[in-house]
Amino acid sequence: MRWVLQTFKKWFIKNKLLLIVFTSFFIFTMTTLITLVSLSIINWNWITGFLIGSFTSYLSIYFIKISADLLVKTENHYFFVFLFLSRVGFYMLVTLLVLILPDLFSIEAFLIGIVNSIFYPFFNHKNV
């Protein structure tokens, strides 16, 4: 557990500017959604859809980082493939949850929240 926290701390220091951009994008979008919900233009399920999409996106970026570090450290390609398939399964599970419960989560807001995961190639990977 300590190794994971130290890795996250080093990763945060290397990618400070990118995380500031992600955080500002998250805060701007969340403020816009809260304003639209308070004005009764959209329903509250947009907020829950955006939150679950953002959580899925950030968690997948963290899983990619952990799997890349473990691949370099252990050179176990089967474990890397396992982590890749589990990440795809995680995407499918959350997407099916959003599709099955449209009253609780908005699919449009979920897609807006998951957009962050396309910016993964901009993260700094000197050891991969």
Side-chain angles (χ1 to χ4, degrees), residues 11-94:
W11 175 73
F12 183 75
I13 290 171
K14 288 180 186 175
N15 298 305
K16 195 177 289 189
L17 180 63
L18 191 60
L19 289 174
I20 289 171
V21 170
F22 277 160
T23 306
S24 62
F25 174 73
F26 177 79
I27 290 172
F28 174 74
T29 307
M30 206 53 200
T31 306
T32 304
L33 287 176
I34 289 173
T35 304
L36 291 174
V37 167
S38 64
L39 293 175
S40 298
I41 296 173
I42 59 174
N43 293 332
W44 63 273
N45 61 354
W46 275 72
I47 292 176
T48 58
F50 177 73
L51 286 176
I52 197 167
S54 295
F55 178 73
T56 303
S57 175
Y58 294 138
L59 195 61
S60 70
I61 288 172
Y62 185 69
F63 280 155
I64 290 170
K65 172 71 176 129
I66 292 291
S67 65
D69 286 346
L70 287 175
L71 178 66
V72 169
K73 189 174 185 177
T74 63
E75 296 181 8
N76 187 354
H77 302 289
Y78 298 113
F79 188 64
F80 182 75
V81 170
F82 170 72
L83 287 176
F84 172 75
L85 291 176
S86 63
R87 188 170 41 97
V88 170
F90 178 69
Y91 274 132
M92 287 179 54
L93 180 70
V94 174

